[in-house]
């Protein structure tokens, strides 16, 4: 494995190891650019691991007339699904229809209907939802995902968990995504293609020196500092994009970022089937209730202003109560605060378009190229996880303008590591894994396939028993898997493993997690990855 020579000059230096930064790094290195990336924490340690875990078009964005964003996202669902069938899969969403459905008051659609149909008094009619779903089915040119249908809820598995007053619903398609895993696999693929990925590496300053950027970094674990040089700087720092512009780069910019906090709660499983629910509130907002990690239900999200990127986002008691009350208006069996087993919260770095509310702020991305004085700078604002690959392609167009083009777009249809199997091939892969490794339980084999796809066999190697995989830490996590995550996916601490690369923290005790931390610290020097 090679080490990084800080005297080298790369084409690009990317600040930020979230989905945008890692997606850009992967696309760029695949076109022939030399790339270095610095992430001050773990990959996906902020916004990119705190999503609602969906590849979706954003049905409600149609009410804001963001048709281009929705169309792009709908097309991307199936492109991404083919490239990562281990960490993404189709899901059906049940949207109960009732008379209390309302718009948020400042949506363009709400204002238009209030003018032409004032008798609706802000209600969201079911015919309008059906029209939106018709657009949802046709805008993206579906080939894999089934279309919308009408469901009668009485006496059905979909209706059983709900209050009896809900009589019918619309059912449509979107996709699940393991968000943090998506980031680590993009980083892994970028590294395999030659990118230098530096985690736990904070950018202290960046300045133009002649026709290059000079970037000073500090390893937050060791304190070691290094100076990097690059022909172009890409600021994909997510919630810190504004802070990087103002404090680390020191350039003038009129562009601003709006920080919006989204919080989620996780409770024990609320129903037996594998479909999700899309619930509409009397305040015009929506939440999802999604089957999660086999034994749980994920509920979210909120939209709240978040003032300071340095303040860690947490799910407040008010947000928790809001989500519980929202869900309880739909589910027959009430959720209580003590049922919540885990919460998480992330900050979305939205482009500040002057919207009156956090909910109304655009989810579209904005790329700003500054190539007027010296080495070029590209600032990335906003975006959503579903369109990360298209954002990267747009970024590469800007990079090509500044540095000269280096090859055509290539990422569409190219699988991420472990994703080289058919969309409907998970069951066959699980069966093959259990045939090769007879000690695997069905749940263990499925977890490995969902996390690693075809690379699960490389982790298990020649093992003929669970004991051959080394120390067991609980919840099927073994030494062999830990070594893989440290060597291949940049994991450095137990938190990286049990709350991002996997969600095994939901099933592990504090003592087991502490044992993972101890083992990783003791074996840190044995890493064999080429990224750093």
């Amino acid at each position: 494995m090679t080490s990084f020579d800080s005297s080298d000059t790369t084409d690009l230096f990317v600040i930020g190891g979230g989905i945008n930064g890692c997606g850009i790094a992967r696309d760029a290195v695949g076109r022939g650019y030399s790339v270095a990336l610095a992430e001050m924490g773990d990959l996906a340690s902020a916004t990119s691991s705190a999503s609602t875990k969906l590849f979706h078009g954003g049905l409600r964005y149609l009410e804001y007339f963001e048709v281009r964003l929705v169309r792009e996202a709908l097309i991307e669902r199936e492109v991404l699904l083919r490239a990562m069938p281990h960490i993404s899969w189709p899901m059906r969403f049940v949207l109960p229809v009732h008379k209390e459905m309302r718009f948020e008051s400042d949506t363009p659609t709400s204002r238009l209907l209030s003018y032409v149909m004032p008798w609706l008094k802000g209600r969201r009619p079911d015919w309008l939802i059906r029209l939106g779903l018709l657009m949802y089915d046709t805008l993206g040119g579906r080939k894999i995902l089934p279309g919308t249908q009408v469901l009668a809820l009485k006496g059905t598995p979909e209706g059983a968990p709900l209050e009896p007053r809900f009589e019918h619903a619309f059912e449509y398609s979107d996709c699940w995504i393991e968000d943090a895993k998506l980031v680590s696999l993009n980083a892994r693929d970028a590294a395999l293609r030659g990118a230098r990925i530096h985690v736990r590496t904070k950018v202290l300053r960046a300045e133009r020196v002649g026709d290059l950027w000079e970037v000073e970094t500090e390893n937050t674990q060791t304190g070691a500092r290094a100076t990097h040089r690059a022909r172009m700087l890409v600021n994909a720092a997510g919630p810190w994009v504004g802070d990087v512009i103002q404090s680390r780069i020191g350039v003038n910019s009129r562009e601003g970022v709006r920080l919006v906090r989204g919080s989620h709660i996780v409770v024990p499983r609320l129903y037996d089937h594998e479909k999700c629910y899309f619930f509409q509130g009397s305040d015009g907002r929506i939440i999802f209730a999604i089957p999660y990690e086999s034994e749980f239900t994920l509920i979210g999200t909120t939209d709240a202003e978040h003032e300071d990127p340095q303040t860690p986002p947490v799910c407040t008691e008010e947000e928790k109560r809001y989500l519980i009350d929202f869900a309880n208006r739909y589910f027959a069996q009430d959720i209580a605060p003590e049922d919540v087993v885990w919460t998480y919260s992330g900050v979305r770095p939205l482009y500040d378009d002057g919207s009156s509310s956090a909910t109304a702020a655009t989810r579209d991305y904005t790329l700003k190229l500054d190539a007027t004085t010296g080495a070029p700078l590209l600032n990335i604002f906003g975006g959503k996880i579903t369109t990360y690959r298209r954002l990267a392609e747009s970024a590469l167009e800007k990079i090509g303008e500044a540095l000269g083009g280096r090859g055509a777009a290539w990422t569409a249809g190219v699988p991420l590591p472990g994703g080289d199997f058919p969309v409907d091939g998970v069951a066959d892969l699980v069966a093959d894994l259990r045939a090769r490794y007879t000690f695997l339980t069905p749940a263990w084999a499925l977890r490995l396939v969902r996390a690693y796809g075809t690379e699960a066999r490389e982790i298990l190697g020649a093992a003929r028993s669970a004991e051959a995989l080394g120390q067991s830490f609980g919840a099927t996590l073994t030494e062999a898997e830990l070594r893989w995550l440290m060597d291949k996916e940049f994991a450095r601490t137990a938190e990286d493993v049990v709350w991002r690369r996997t969600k095994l923290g939901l099933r592990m005790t504090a003592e087991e997690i502490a044992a993972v931390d101890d083992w990783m610290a003791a074996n840190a020097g044995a890493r064999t990855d080429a990224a750093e």
Side-chain angles (χ1 to χ4, degrees):
M1 299 293 186
T2 58
S3 61
F4 178 66
D5 180 351
S6 61
S7 66
D8 287 351
T9 297
T10 56
D11 292 317
L12 301 177
F13 191 96
V14 181
I15 303 175
I19 189 54
N20 290 340
C22 291
I24 291 169
R26 178 188 182 230
D27 194 336
V29 74
R31 299 193 197 206
Y33 294 100
S34 55
V35 179
L37 178 148
E39 163 55 47
M40 66 179 176
D42 179 31
L43 298 173
S45 56
T47 305
S48 295
S49 61
S51 76
T52 311
K53 323 298 183 191
L54 299 177
F55 275 156
H56 67 127
L59 181 60
R60 72 180 183 87
Y61 303 151
L62 289 174
E63 293 182 2
Y64 294 90
F65 299 160
E66 295 209 44
V67 177
R68 188 211 63 80
L69 173 64
V70 174
R71 182 175 184 273
E72 183 175 85
L74 289 172
I75 293 171
E76 276 298 282
R77 290 180 312 178
E78 297 198 3
V79 173
L80 298 174
L81 190 59
R82 289 186 175 94
M84 53 196 79
H86 49 332
I87 63 169
S88 181
W89 53 88
M91 301 188 89
R92 295 289 281 174
F93 288 72
V94 177
L95 194 164
V97 178
H98 55 93
K99 293 181 179 179
E100 290 80 27
M101 300 181 301
R102 304 188 69 82
F103 291 106
E104 191 182 32
S105 59
D106 62 352
T107 69
T109 301
S110 175
R111 292 195 296 269
L112 177 63
L113 285 188
S114 294
Y115 178 76
V116 299
M117 298 180 180
W119 58 88
L120 289 176
K121 297 181 179 179
R123 291 193 300 273
R124 184 186 275 131
D126 55 0
W127 61 262
L128 185 67
I129 296 171
R130 187 65 186 92
L131 178 61
L133 287 168
L134 177 62
M135 292 180 65
Y136 209 69
D137 281 348
T138 56
L139 276 174
R142 289 176 302 105
K143 293 183 176 64
I144 299 174
L145 302 175
T148 299
Q149 64 182 48
V150 178
L151 283 183
L153 293 174
K154 188 173 182 180
T156 66
E158 295 87 354
L162 303 178
E163 291 187 355
R165 63 191 179 93
F166 300 111
E167 297 180 355
H168 71 280
F170 297 120
E171 182 181 295
Y172 68 96
S173 293
D174 265 322
C175 299
W176 174 266
I177 178 60
E178 297 286 358
D179 53 4
K181 193 76 175 178
L182 173 67
V183 178
S184 65
L185 289 183
N186 268 272
R188 169 164 159 68
D189 200 40
L192 288 170
R193 297 173 188 275
R196 296 159 178 161
I197 309 296
H198 306 278
V199 296
R200 264 71 179 194
T201 301
K202 185 175 184 178
V203 172
L204 301 178
R205 66 168 185 86
E207 62 179 310
R208 290 179 170 111
V209 179
D211 58 356
L212 296 176
W213 280 97
E214 190 172 272
V215 184
E216 185 181 1
T217 62
E218 179 181 73
N219 185 299
T220 58
Q221 292 180 306
T222 67
R225 293 194 176 190
T227 300
H228 314 261
R229 293 173 182 84
R231 296 173 62 205
M232 183 171 184
L233 189 66
V234 177
N235 177 12
W240 294 272
V241 63
D243 181 64
V244 166
I245 292 171
Q246 297 163 13
S247 304
R248 314 293 168 81
I249 303 176
V251 299
N252 293 321
S253 174
R254 292 175 296 177
E255 310 303 328
V257 64
R258 184 172 192 165
L259 303 181
V260 177
R261 187 176 65 253
S263 296
H264 302 76
I265 61 175
V266 176
V267 298
R269 185 150 185 160
L270 297 175
Y271 51 89
D272 293 333
H273 62 78
E274 294 299 321
K275 296 179 182 179
C276 311
Y277 288 100
F278 178 120
F279 294 151
Q280 303 174 80
S282 57
D283 59 355
R285 292 215 67 254
I286 64 99
I287 65 169
F288 296 99
I290 310 173
Y292 189 60
E293 294 294 315
S294 302
E295 303 167 27
F296 305 94
T297 299
L298 170 66
I299 298 172
T301 179
T302 60
D303 272 324
E305 302 285 356
H306 192 85
E307 298 298 327
D308 185 1
Q310 308 303 334
T311 302
V314 295
C315 179
T316 65
E317 287 301 316
E318 181 181 10
E319 287 176 299
K320 185 191 297 185
R321 187 73 256 179
Y322 174 84
L323 292 173
I324 290 172
D325 290 345
F326 201 139
N328 285 346
R329 288 194 287 271
Y330 280 85
F331 286 119
Q333 182 68 43
D334 276 356
I335 303 165
E338 54 268 25
D339 294 326
V340 177
V341 298
W342 184 46
T343 68
Y344 67 89
S345 187
V347 176
R348 308 181 193 98
L350 307 180
Y351 182 68
D352 191 353
D353 61 355
S355 298
S356 59
S357 72
T359 302
T362 182
R363 266 55 175 176
D364 208 346
Y365 52 83
T366 299
L367 312 181
K368 294 294 180 178
L369 176 64
D370 175 4
T372 55
T373 57
L377 163 69
L378 180 62
N379 292 311
I380 311 294
F381 298 91
K384 58 198 296 286
I385 199 164
T386 313
T387 53
Y388 89 89
R389 194 194 64 81
R390 291 298 302 275
L391 181 152
E393 288 185 336
S394 297
L396 265 293
E397 291 179 9
K398 300 284 189 183
I399 291 166
E401 291 175 20
L403 299 184
R406 296 272 190 91
W410 64 276
T411 56
V414 177
L416 286 174
D420 51 336
F421 66 96
V423 170
D424 60 355
V426 168
D428 289 342
L429 210 54
V430 169
D432 176 74
L433 208 62
R434 293 198 68 211
R436 291 170 181 256
Y437 304 96
T438 55
F439 58 87
L440 293 177
T441 64
W444 189 358
L446 178 60
R447 184 184 74 76
L448 290 175
V449 167
R450 282 301 188 196
Y452 307 102
T454 56
E455 292 191 322
R457 292 190 291 262
E458 295 184 40
I459 296 172
L460 297 171
R464 290 295 173 261
S465 67
E467 291 72 24
L469 297 173
Q471 184 175 342
S472 175
F473 296 92
T476 71
L477 181 63
T478 65
E479 183 179 323
E481 187 174 354
L482 271 187
R483 288 191 186 280
W484 176 275
L485 291 171
M486 293 175 72
D487 289 352
K488 310 295 187 184
E489 294 190 34
F490 311 95
R492 299 292 178 262
T493 70
E495 182 182 357
D496 303 349
V497 171
V498 306
W499 294 116
R500 281 185 286 277
R501 310 303 187 281
T502 76
K503 296 300 181 290
L504 294 176
L506 289 166
R507 298 183 176 88
M508 297 176 71
T509 66
E511 291 76 17
E512 289 171 332
I513 294 172
V516 172
D517 242 341
D518 291 343
W519 189 92
M520 293 179 74
N523 289 272
R527 290 198 307 268
T528 58
D529 58 286
E532 296 181 279

